[in-house]
Amino acid sequence: MARRLLVISAGVSTPSSTRLLADQTADAVTAGVTARGESVDVRVLELAPLAAGLATTVTTGVATAEVSAARDEVAAADGIVAVTPVFTASYSGLFKMFFDVLDPDAMTGVPVLVAATAGTPRHSLVLDHAVRPLMSYLRADTVPTAVFAATEDFGSSELGDRVRRAAGELAQRLVGASAVAGFGGPTDLETRPRRSAGANDLGEVTPFAELLRGHTGD
């Protein structure tokens, strides 16, 4: 079954460097998934046409039909690429407004690649200082490598390398990493339940009192 990749672009201009980066990243993720023997269904969600509907949803608490459809796209996604332009040293208001209207659990455990565009490299820290905390709040599984592109970066080999690295990390999560030799076991995402809020990987914990009894007389 094809993996479902949702590409969210918050670009507002035409042509849009944000959409350009989103498309480049989606192509790289597709290449990474197909190289692992799987297929991917890519859907692109442009936020600019949703601006009025998002404002209505935020101010009235009632989602428009277009916003409801966008929410459904997020809920159905196996992985997400989220790209925002940088406005006033942070993500755009349109980008934030979209994630404000999502169900709080909509992105729990969902693999996400975050990216941003700006006119100057001075804004490169926006991904770590603003976008990653937002995704952490939503309990998304954000891949380690983020992609920032200043205007001067487009067409450079350095940007291409960052895109491929981040896309490879997302592709691995979409398909499921191959079992490490000697450790085995299923790793495909379809065999791994989505993590719920507050879950952890500690497994069975030995009671403290039992640990103390084991050391009596030492």
Side-chain angles (χ1 to χ4, degrees), residues 3-7 21-43 78-83 111-115 143 145 147 160 162-175:
R3 270 54 174 181
R4 293 166 293 189
L5 176 67
L6 179 63
V7 180
L21 182 59
D23 289 343
Q24 289 180 354
T25 306
D27 289 344
V29 175
T30 299
V33 171
T34 55
R36 289 166 170 80
E38 301 290 345
S39 59
V40 60
D41 177 21
V42 179
R43 302 292 298 272
D78 295 312
I80 293 174
V81 172
V83 191
V112 177
L113 187 164
V114 295
V143 302
T145 301
V147 180
R162 290 200 300 273
V163 167
R164 284 188 291 273
R165 179 174 179 175
E169 292 167 356
L170 182 57
Q172 186 176 41
R173 282 165 166 75
L174 284 172
V175 174

Coordinates of all heavy atoms in Angstrom, one line a residue, residues 3-7 21-43 78-83 111-115 143 145 147 160 162-175:
R3 N 2.4 4.8 0.8 CA 2.5 5.7 1.9 C 1.9 7.0 1.5 O 2.0 7.4 0.3 CB 3.9 5.9 2.4 CG 4.4 4.9 3.4 CD 4.2 3.5 3.0 NE 4.9 2.6 4.0 CZ 4.9 1.3 4.0 NH1 4.3 0.7 2.9 NH2 5.5 0.6 4.9
R4 N 1.2 7.7 2.4 CA 0.6 9.0 2.1 C 1.4 10.1 2.7 O 1.6 10.2 3.9 CB -0.8 9.0 2.7 CG -1.8 8.0 2.0 CD -3.0 7.8 2.8 NE -2.8 7.1 4.1 CZ -3.7 6.7 4.9 NH1 -5.0 6.8 4.6 NH2 -3.4 6.1 6.0
L5 N 2.0 10.9 1.8 CA 2.8 12.1 2.2 C 2.0 13.4 1.9 O 1.6 13.6 0.8 CB 4.1 12.1 1.4 CG 5.0 13.3 1.6 CD1 5.6 13.2 3.1 CD2 6.2 13.3 0.6
L6 N 1.8 14.1 3.0 CA 1.2 15.4 2.9 C 2.2 16.5 2.9 O 3.0 16.6 3.8 CB 0.2 15.6 4.0 CG -0.6 17.0 4.0 CD1 -1.4 17.1 2.7 CD2 -1.4 17.1 5.2
V7 N 2.2 17.4 1.9 CA 3.2 18.5 1.8 C 2.4 19.8 2.1 O 1.5 20.2 1.3 CB 3.9 18.6 0.4 CG1 4.8 19.7 0.4 CG2 4.6 17.2 0.1
L21 N 10.7 24.9 -2.5 CA 11.4 24.1 -1.6 C 10.6 22.9 -1.2 O 11.1 21.8 -1.1 CB 11.8 24.9 -0.3 CG 12.6 24.1 0.7 CD1 13.9 23.5 0.2 CD2 12.9 25.0 1.9
A22 N 9.3 23.1 -1.0 CA 8.3 22.0 -0.7 C 8.3 21.0 -1.8 O 8.4 19.8 -1.5 CB 6.9 22.6 -0.5
D23 N 8.3 21.4 -3.1 CA 8.3 20.4 -4.2 C 9.6 19.7 -4.3 O 9.6 18.5 -4.5 CB 8.0 21.2 -5.5 CG 6.6 21.7 -5.6 OD1 5.7 21.2 -4.8 OD2 6.3 22.5 -6.5
Q24 N 10.7 20.4 -4.1 CA 12.0 19.7 -4.1 C 12.1 18.7 -3.0 O 12.6 17.5 -3.2 CB 13.2 20.7 -3.9 CG 13.3 21.7 -5.1 CD 14.5 22.7 -4.9 OE1 15.0 22.7 -3.8 NE2 14.8 23.4 -6.0
T25 N 11.6 19.0 -1.8 CA 11.7 18.1 -0.7 C 10.8 16.9 -1.0 O 11.2 15.7 -0.7 CB 11.3 18.8 0.6 OG1 12.2 19.9 0.8 CG2 11.5 17.9 1.8
A26 N 9.6 17.1 -1.5 CA 8.7 16.0 -1.8 C 9.2 15.1 -2.8 O 9.1 13.8 -2.7 CB 7.3 16.6 -2.2
D27 N 9.9 15.6 -3.8 CA 10.5 14.8 -4.8 C 11.6 13.9 -4.2 O 11.8 12.7 -4.6 CB 11.1 15.6 -6.0 CG 10.1 16.3 -6.8 OD1 8.9 15.9 -6.8 OD2 10.4 17.3 -7.6
A28 N 12.4 14.5 -3.3 CA 13.5 13.7 -2.7 C 12.9 12.6 -1.8 O 13.5 11.5 -1.7 CB 14.4 14.7 -1.9
V29 N 11.8 12.9 -1.0 CA 11.2 11.9 -0.2 C 10.6 10.8 -1.1 O 10.8 9.6 -0.8 CB 10.1 12.5 0.7 CG1 9.3 11.4 1.4 CG2 10.6 13.5 1.6
T30 N 10.0 11.1 -2.2 CA 9.5 10.1 -3.1 C 10.6 9.2 -3.6 O 10.5 8.0 -3.7 CB 8.8 10.8 -4.3 OG1 7.7 11.6 -3.8 CG2 8.3 9.8 -5.3
A31 N 11.7 9.8 -4.0 CA 12.9 9.1 -4.4 C 13.4 8.1 -3.3 O 13.7 7.0 -3.6 CB 14.0 10.0 -4.9
G32 N 13.4 8.6 -2.1 CA 13.9 7.8 -1.0 C 12.9 6.6 -0.7 O 13.4 5.5 -0.4
V33 N 11.6 6.9 -0.8 CA 10.7 5.8 -0.5 C 10.7 4.7 -1.7 O 10.8 3.5 -1.4 CB 9.2 6.4 -0.4 CG1 8.2 5.2 -0.3 CG2 9.1 7.2 0.8
T34 N 10.7 5.2 -2.9 CA 10.8 4.2 -4.0 C 12.1 3.5 -4.0 O 12.1 2.3 -4.4 CB 10.6 4.9 -5.4 OG1 11.5 6.0 -5.5 CG2 9.2 5.6 -5.4
A35 N 13.2 4.1 -3.6 CA 14.5 3.4 -3.5 C 14.4 2.2 -2.5 O 15.2 1.3 -2.6 CB 15.6 4.3 -3.2
R36 N 13.5 2.3 -1.6 CA 13.3 1.3 -0.6 C 12.2 0.3 -1.0 O 11.8 -0.5 -0.1 CB 13.0 1.9 0.8 CG 14.1 2.7 1.4 CD 13.7 3.6 2.6 NE 14.8 4.1 3.3 CZ 15.6 5.2 3.0 NH1 15.3 5.8 1.8 NH2 16.6 5.6 3.7
G37 N 11.8 0.4 -2.2 CA 10.9 -0.6 -2.8 C 9.4 -0.4 -2.5 O 8.6 -1.3 -2.6
E38 N 9.1 0.8 -2.0 CA 7.7 1.2 -1.7 C 7.2 2.3 -2.6 O 8.0 3.0 -3.3 CB 7.5 1.5 -0.3 CG 7.9 0.4 0.7 CD 7.0 -0.8 0.7 OE1 5.9 -0.6 0.2 OE2 7.4 -1.8 1.2
S39 N 5.9 2.6 -2.6 CA 5.4 3.7 -3.3 C 4.8 4.8 -2.4 O 4.6 4.5 -1.2 CB 4.3 3.2 -4.3 OG 3.2 2.6 -3.6
V40 N 4.7 6.0 -2.9 CA 4.2 7.1 -2.1 C 3.2 7.9 -2.9 O 3.3 8.1 -4.0 CB 5.3 7.9 -1.6 CG1 6.1 8.5 -2.7 CG2 4.8 9.0 -0.6
D41 N 2.1 8.3 -2.2 CA 1.1 9.1 -2.8 C 1.2 10.5 -2.2 O 1.1 10.7 -1.0 CB -0.3 8.6 -2.4 CG -1.5 9.5 -2.9 OD1 -1.2 10.3 -3.8 OD2 -2.6 9.4 -2.4
V42 N 1.7 11.5 -3.0 CA 2.0 12.8 -2.5 C 0.8 13.8 -2.7 O 0.2 13.9 -3.8 CB 3.2 13.4 -3.2 CG1 3.5 14.8 -2.7 CG2 4.4 12.5 -3.0
R43 N 0.4 14.4 -1.6 CA -0.7 15.4 -1.7 C -0.1 16.8 -1.2 O 0.6 16.8 -0.2 CB -1.9 15.0 -0.8 CG -2.5 13.7 -1.1 CD -3.2 13.7 -2.5 NE -4.3 14.7 -2.5 CZ -5.5 14.4 -2.2 NH1 -5.8 13.2 -1.8 NH2 -6.5 15.3 -2.2
D78 N 0.6 9.6 6.4 CA 1.6 8.8 7.1 C 2.8 9.6 7.4 O 3.6 9.2 8.3 CB 2.0 7.6 6.2 CG 0.8 6.7 6.0 OD1 0.2 6.3 6.9 OD2 0.6 6.3 4.8
G79 N 3.0 10.7 6.7 CA 4.2 11.6 6.9 C 3.9 13.0 6.4 O 3.0 13.1 5.5
I80 N 4.5 14.0 6.9 CA 4.2 15.4 6.5 C 5.5 16.1 6.3 O 6.5 16.0 7.0 CB 3.5 16.1 7.6 CG1 2.1 15.5 7.8 CG2 3.3 17.6 7.4 CD1 1.2 16.0 9.0
V81 N 5.5 16.9 5.2 CA 6.6 17.9 5.0 C 5.9 19.3 5.2 O 4.9 19.6 4.6 CB 7.1 17.9 3.6 CG1 8.1 19.0 3.3 CG2 7.9 16.5 3.3
A82 N 6.4 20.1 6.2 CA 5.8 21.3 6.5 C 6.8 22.5 6.3 O 7.9 22.5 6.9 CB 5.4 21.4 8.0
V83 N 6.5 23.4 5.3 CA 7.4 24.4 4.9 C 6.7 25.8 5.1 O 5.6 26.0 4.7 CB 7.8 24.3 3.4 CG1 8.9 25.2 3.1 CG2 8.2 22.8 3.1
P111 N 5.6 11.2 11.5 CA 6.9 11.7 11.1 C 6.7 13.0 10.3 O 5.9 13.1 9.4 CB 7.4 10.6 10.2 CG 6.6 9.4 10.5 CD 5.3 9.9 10.9
V112 N 7.5 14.0 10.7 CA 7.4 15.3 10.0 C 8.8 15.8 9.7 O 9.7 15.8 10.5 CB 6.7 16.3 11.0 CG1 6.7 17.7 10.3 CG2 5.3 15.9 11.3
L113 N 8.9 16.4 8.5 CA 10.1 17.1 8.1 C 9.8 18.6 8.0 O 8.8 19.0 7.4 CB 10.6 16.6 6.7 CG 11.9 17.1 6.1 CD1 12.3 16.2 5.0 CD2 11.9 18.5 5.6
V114 N 10.5 19.4 8.8 CA 10.2 20.8 8.8 C 11.3 21.6 7.9 O 12.4 21.2 7.9 CB 10.2 21.4 10.2 CG1 9.1 20.8 11.0 CG2 11.5 21.2 10.9
A115 N 10.8 22.6 7.3 CA 11.6 23.4 6.4 C 11.2 24.9 6.4 O 10.0 25.2 6.7 CB 11.6 22.9 5.0
V143 N 11.9 14.7 12.2 CA 13.2 14.1 11.8 C 14.3 15.0 12.2 O 14.2 16.2 12.3 CB 13.2 13.8 10.3 CG1 12.1 12.9 9.8 CG2 13.2 15.1 9.4
T145 N 17.1 16.2 10.8 CA 17.6 17.2 9.9 C 16.4 18.1 9.4 O 15.4 17.6 8.8 CB 18.3 16.6 8.6 OG1 19.4 15.8 9.1 CG2 18.8 17.7 7.7
V147 N 15.5 21.7 7.0 CA 16.0 22.3 5.8 C 15.7 23.8 5.8 O 14.5 24.2 5.8 CB 15.4 21.7 4.6 CG1 16.0 22.3 3.3 CG2 15.7 20.2 4.5
G160 N 20.9 21.1 -1.9 CA 20.5 19.8 -2.4 C 20.9 18.7 -1.4 O 20.1 17.7 -1.2
R162 N 21.3 18.9 1.9 CA 20.4 19.0 3.1 C 19.0 18.4 2.8 O 18.5 17.7 3.6 CB 20.3 20.5 3.6 CG 21.5 21.0 4.2 CD 21.2 22.2 5.0 NE 20.6 23.3 4.3 CZ 21.2 24.3 3.7 NH1 22.6 24.3 3.6 NH2 20.6 25.3 3.1
V163 N 18.5 18.8 1.6 CA 17.2 18.2 1.2 C 17.2 16.7 1.2 O 16.4 16.0 1.7 CB 16.8 18.8 -0.1 CG1 15.5 18.1 -0.6 CG2 16.4 20.3 0.1
R164 N 18.3 16.2 0.5 CA 18.4 14.7 0.4 C 18.5 14.0 1.7 O 17.9 12.9 2.0 CB 19.5 14.3 -0.6 CG 19.2 14.6 -2.0 CD 20.3 14.0 -2.9 NE 21.5 14.8 -2.8 CZ 21.8 15.8 -3.5 NH1 20.9 16.3 -4.4 NH2 22.9 16.5 -3.4
R165 N 19.3 14.6 2.6 CA 19.5 14.0 3.9 C 18.2 14.0 4.7 O 17.9 13.0 5.3 CB 20.6 14.8 4.7 CG 20.9 14.2 6.1 CD 22.1 14.9 6.7 NE 22.3 14.4 8.1 CZ 23.3 14.7 8.8 NH1 24.2 15.6 8.4 NH2 23.4 14.2 10.1
A166 N 17.6 15.1 4.8 CA 16.3 15.2 5.5 C 15.2 14.3 4.9 O 14.5 13.6 5.6 CB 15.8 16.6 5.6
A167 N 15.2 14.3 3.6 CA 14.2 13.4 2.9 C 14.5 12.0 3.1 O 13.5 11.2 3.3 CB 14.2 13.7 1.4
G168 N 15.7 11.6 3.2 CA 16.1 10.2 3.5 C 15.6 9.8 4.9 O 15.2 8.7 5.1
E169 N 15.8 10.7 5.8 CA 15.3 10.4 7.2 C 13.8 10.2 7.3 O 13.3 9.3 7.9 CB 15.7 11.5 8.1 CG 17.2 11.6 8.3 CD 17.7 12.9 9.0 OE1 16.8 13.8 9.3 OE2 18.9 13.1 9.3
L170 N 13.1 11.1 6.5 CA 11.6 10.9 6.5 C 11.2 9.7 5.7 O 10.3 8.9 6.2 CB 11.0 12.2 5.9 CG 9.4 12.2 5.8 CD1 8.8 12.0 7.2 CD2 8.9 13.4 5.2
A171 N 11.9 9.4 4.6 CA 11.6 8.2 3.9 C 11.8 6.9 4.7 O 11.0 6.0 4.7 CB 12.4 8.1 2.6
Q172 N 12.8 6.9 5.5 CA 13.1 5.8 6.4 C 12.0 5.6 7.4 O 11.6 4.4 7.7 CB 14.4 6.0 7.1 CG 14.9 4.8 8.0 CD 16.2 5.0 8.6 OE1 16.5 6.1 9.1 NE2 17.1 4.0 8.6
R173 N 11.5 6.7 7.9 CA 10.3 6.5 8.9 C 9.1 6.1 8.2 O 8.3 5.4 8.7 CB 10.1 7.9 9.6 CG 11.1 8.1 10.7 CD 11.1 9.6 11.1 NE 11.8 9.8 12.4 CZ 13.1 9.8 12.6 NH1 13.9 9.6 11.5 NH2 13.6 10.1 13.8
L174 N 8.9 6.6 6.9 CA 7.7 6.2 6.2 C 7.6 4.7 5.9 O 6.6 4.0 6.0 CB 7.5 7.0 4.9 CG 7.1 8.4 5.1 CD1 7.2 9.2 3.7 CD2 5.6 8.5 5.6
V175 N 8.8 4.2 5.5 CA 8.9 2.8 5.1 C 9.1 1.9 6.2 O 8.6 0.7 6.3 CB 10.0 2.6 4.0 CG1 10.2 1.2 3.6 CG2 9.6 3.4 2.7

